[in-house]
Amino acid sequence: MALMTGKEYVQSIRDMDIKIYMFGKRIEDPVTDDILRPSLNSVRMTYDLAQEPEYRSLMTAQSPFIGGTVNRFTHIHESTDDLIKKVKMQRLCGEKTGACFQRCVGMDAFNAVYSTTYEIDKKYGTSYQKNFLEFLKYSQEKDLTVDGAMTDPKGDRNLPPHKQKDPDMYLRVVERRPDGIVVRGAKAHQTGICNSHEVLVMPTIAMGPDDKDYAVAFAVPTDAENLFMIIGRQSCDTRKSEGAPIDTGNPTFGGVEALVIFDDVFVPNDRIFMNGETEFAGMLVERFAGYHRQSYGGCKVGVGDVLIGAAACAADCNGVCKASHIKDKLIEMIHLNETLYSSGIACSAEGTKTEAGNYIIDLLLANVCKQNVTRFPYEIARLAQDIAGGSVVTAPSEKDMEDPELGPYVKKYMAGAEGVSAEDRMKILRLIENLTLGTAAVGYLTESLHGAGSPQAQRIMIMRQGDLETKKSFAKNIAKIKGGKDGQE
Ligand code: SF4
Ligand code: FE
């Protein structure tokens, strides 16, 4: 069974014993919980779309490891064409959900761990890649959703892991046994963890020789003993449990993050992919972050398509779609969104082969892509609110609209241009609210800022990859200053 249906996926999560807490209580049935279910639906979309012939070439790939068709979210990129298809797939999933569909972190972790384990093994004669390949084949055969977990809580950001007052601020090995290791710590902001079958853990920063216990990569099931998660609150999250779907803005889809606690979790030897090789921690981080910065050139663009569409619908509802300043704002939104897509495609087209044989994006362009993502969605969101008007935040609730006494007033005064019902107008306004201020703003805005690394992390990489010396030599050559690269004087 290399491809699960969406229904089978939901059942497979239901069959697990994932320990999820929210509002101080354990969630007994995460699959039916009002707040969590939309997030599960978004991941389900990655399974449903793979079943549709129309999307097969984007959503699936051929695996050389198991010799059959796999969901692209479990694929190891074999070419620049694979990298480009990945971005297109993410745009498609964003358009279909208007939310974070979560499964990309696992795909990005697979590809980063694949090439890094190869290089560790080459240097130390270890067998991490063999371990990883078994895990990969298992994930492909069972069509699993895997959460890639990188971000540690980090405590005092000015201190390395081994100097933290509380040594658990970075996830670490606390015990080494003949059959495996025991790990303790936490991973923060974990997208999709509560909808994943497995979690693939990686270190979060480059490390020095004293951080040996912290340079650890491994995979465990999300219902492993002593592993549990606490769901993060999102703006307007309890609207999902009010029984008023219009007020949620996006009644079907969403995304949630969690703080994941590893309270002495056992990892068997065959699930360990790095264990103390500190000099490779930075390589793994850089590669994972690079892939995920590319990812944003797809997923945020897809969600941007939904927001631009919603703004255009709001203009129609208000009868202003022909106004030139509205058209100009929509043009600006499209321009910004397609600029994000351009860098997502560009870093993929310029990808190269790693020593291990899989393909990696152009790191400079991937970082430029993500740096743009830290800015443009905010401007697109501002323009969407501008077009939609103040009712995005002042419209009465769905329950007022349904009330026998108040409803007629709400319907009369919230109606838009001729032929536009108050109900349809409110649905579009709430969708814009959801994407720019509500639960989806987590994925579309704040995650655009901090996900895959905060803006400064990309700026450091842009400086490192930007090759300023070569640029200086170009200038010197033309200005006829000594020291130009081609030796001119
Ligand atoms: Fe995928 Fe985007 Fe969500 Fe990251 S933020 S998991 S790239 S949808
Ligand atoms: Fe993300």
Tab-separated table of all heavy atoms in Angstrom, residues 90 99-105 191 292 295-296 299-300 447, ligand 1:
chain	number	residue	atom	x	y	z
A	90	GLN	N	2.964	22.288	-3.755
A	90	GLN	CA	2.652	23.061	-2.550
A	90	GLN	C	1.708	24.220	-2.866
A	90	GLN	O	0.815	24.527	-2.082
A	90	GLN	CB	3.949	23.559	-1.907
A	90	GLN	CG	4.735	22.414	-1.278
A	90	GLN	CD	6.140	22.787	-0.910
A	90	GLN	OE1	6.867	23.396	-1.693
A	90	GLN	NE2	6.563	22.437	0.291
A	99	ALA	N	-4.697	27.049	3.863
A	99	ALA	CA	-4.110	26.813	5.195
A	99	ALA	C	-2.772	26.089	5.031
A	99	ALA	O	-2.382	25.733	3.918
A	99	ALA	CB	-5.056	25.956	6.037
A	100	CYS	N	-2.119	25.872	6.151
A	100	CYS	CA	-0.885	25.075	6.157
A	100	CYS	C	-1.278	23.601	6.157
A	100	CYS	O	-2.002	23.147	7.032
A	100	CYS	CB	-0.058	25.420	7.392
A	100	CYS	SG	1.284	24.264	7.723
A	101	PHE	N	-0.791	22.854	5.177
A	101	PHE	CA	-1.159	21.433	5.062
A	101	PHE	C	-0.080	20.525	5.655
A	101	PHE	O	-0.158	19.305	5.559
A	101	PHE	CB	-1.460	21.084	3.600
A	101	PHE	CG	-0.548	21.790	2.639
A	101	PHE	CD1	0.648	21.221	2.275
A	101	PHE	CD2	-0.858	23.065	2.173
A	101	PHE	CE1	1.524	21.879	1.436
A	101	PHE	CE2	0.026	23.746	1.325
A	101	PHE	CZ	1.207	23.155	0.963
A	102	GLN	N	0.945	21.103	6.230
A	102	GLN	CA	1.797	20.488	7.250
A	102	GLN	C	2.769	19.384	6.837
A	102	GLN	O	3.723	19.101	7.549
A	102	GLN	CB	0.913	19.960	8.395
A	102	GLN	CG	-0.013	21.023	8.966
A	102	GLN	CD	-1.327	20.469	9.485
A	102	GLN	OE1	-1.319	19.520	10.255
A	102	GLN	NE2	-2.428	21.048	9.063
A	103	ARG	N	2.507	18.762	5.708
A	103	ARG	CA	3.282	17.556	5.422
A	103	ARG	C	4.664	17.845	4.838
A	103	ARG	O	5.488	16.943	4.696
A	103	ARG	CB	2.467	16.678	4.456
A	103	ARG	CG	2.722	15.208	4.630
A	103	ARG	CD	1.781	14.377	3.781
A	103	ARG	NE	2.271	13.007	3.657
A	103	ARG	CZ	1.748	12.110	2.848
A	103	ARG	NH1	0.712	12.431	2.081
A	103	ARG	NH2	2.247	10.887	2.783
A	104	CYS	N	4.929	19.114	4.530
A	104	CYS	CA	6.188	19.469	3.872
A	104	CYS	C	7.393	19.340	4.800
A	104	CYS	O	8.509	19.079	4.337
A	104	CYS	CB	6.137	20.895	3.346
A	104	CYS	SG	4.520	21.463	2.886
A	105	VAL	N	7.179	19.571	6.094
A	105	VAL	CA	8.334	19.517	6.996
A	105	VAL	C	8.999	18.140	6.975
A	105	VAL	O	10.223	18.023	7.033
A	105	VAL	CB	7.963	19.933	8.445
A	105	VAL	CG1	8.033	21.426	8.612
A	105	VAL	CG2	6.607	19.408	8.864
A	191	THR	N	4.637	22.248	13.568
A	191	THR	CA	3.558	22.209	12.589
A	191	THR	C	3.161	20.771	12.302
A	191	THR	O	4.006	19.955	11.947
A	191	THR	CB	4.043	22.872	11.283
A	191	THR	OG1	4.325	24.237	11.557
A	191	THR	CG2	3.017	22.785	10.185
A	292	HIS	N	13.080	24.153	3.318
A	292	HIS	CA	11.807	24.700	3.807
A	292	HIS	C	11.618	26.154	3.354
A	292	HIS	O	10.486	26.608	3.195
A	292	HIS	CB	11.699	24.554	5.328
A	292	HIS	CG	10.266	24.416	5.780
A	292	HIS	ND1	9.423	23.456	5.274
A	292	HIS	CD2	9.514	25.139	6.641
A	292	HIS	CE1	8.226	23.587	5.807
A	292	HIS	NE2	8.251	24.614	6.643
A	295	SER	N	10.104	25.786	0.155
A	295	SER	CA	8.698	25.369	0.307
A	295	SER	C	7.757	26.561	0.384
A	295	SER	O	6.647	26.538	-0.163
A	295	SER	CB	8.527	24.540	1.587
A	295	SER	OG	9.099	23.262	1.440
A	296	TYR	N	8.220	27.607	1.063
A	296	TYR	CA	7.350	28.770	1.246
A	296	TYR	C	7.066	29.492	-0.070
A	296	TYR	O	6.082	30.216	-0.178
A	296	TYR	CB	7.989	29.744	2.253
A	296	TYR	CG	7.812	29.327	3.698
A	296	TYR	CD1	7.630	27.997	4.045
A	296	TYR	CD2	7.813	30.269	4.724
A	296	TYR	CE1	7.452	27.609	5.363
A	296	TYR	CE2	7.645	29.894	6.054
A	296	TYR	CZ	7.472	28.564	6.360
A	296	TYR	OH	7.299	28.187	7.664
A	299	CYS	N	3.811	27.091	-0.886
A	299	CYS	CA	2.606	27.034	-0.041
A	299	CYS	C	2.027	28.421	0.220
A	299	CYS	O	0.814	28.619	0.153
A	299	CYS	CB	2.885	26.304	1.269
A	299	CYS	SG	3.734	27.275	2.523
A	300	LYS	N	2.886	29.387	0.516
A	300	LYS	CA	2.352	30.725	0.821
A	300	LYS	C	1.753	31.365	-0.437
A	300	LYS	O	0.845	32.199	-0.341
A	300	LYS	CB	3.455	31.648	1.374
A	300	LYS	CG	4.192	31.117	2.596
A	300	LYS	CD	3.292	30.823	3.772
A	300	LYS	CE	4.080	30.239	4.930
A	300	LYS	NZ	3.264	29.418	5.834
A	447	GLU	N	3.923	32.821	10.559
A	447	GLU	CA	4.793	31.725	10.122
A	447	GLU	C	5.638	32.150	8.923
A	447	GLU	O	6.782	31.722	8.777
A	447	GLU	CB	3.976	30.484	9.788
A	447	GLU	CG	4.880	29.264	9.653
A	447	GLU	CD	4.149	28.008	9.262
A	447	GLU	OE1	3.027	28.107	8.747
A	447	GLU	OE2	4.718	26.933	9.459
B	1	SF4	FE1	4.150	23.148	4.254
B	1	SF4	FE2	3.985	25.758	4.156
B	1	SF4	FE3	2.951	24.470	6.230
B	1	SF4	FE4	5.608	24.635	5.957
B	1	SF4	S1	4.179	26.341	6.284
B	1	SF4	S2	4.438	22.781	6.428
B	1	SF4	S3	5.818	24.579	3.739
B	1	SF4	S4	2.275	24.332	4.139
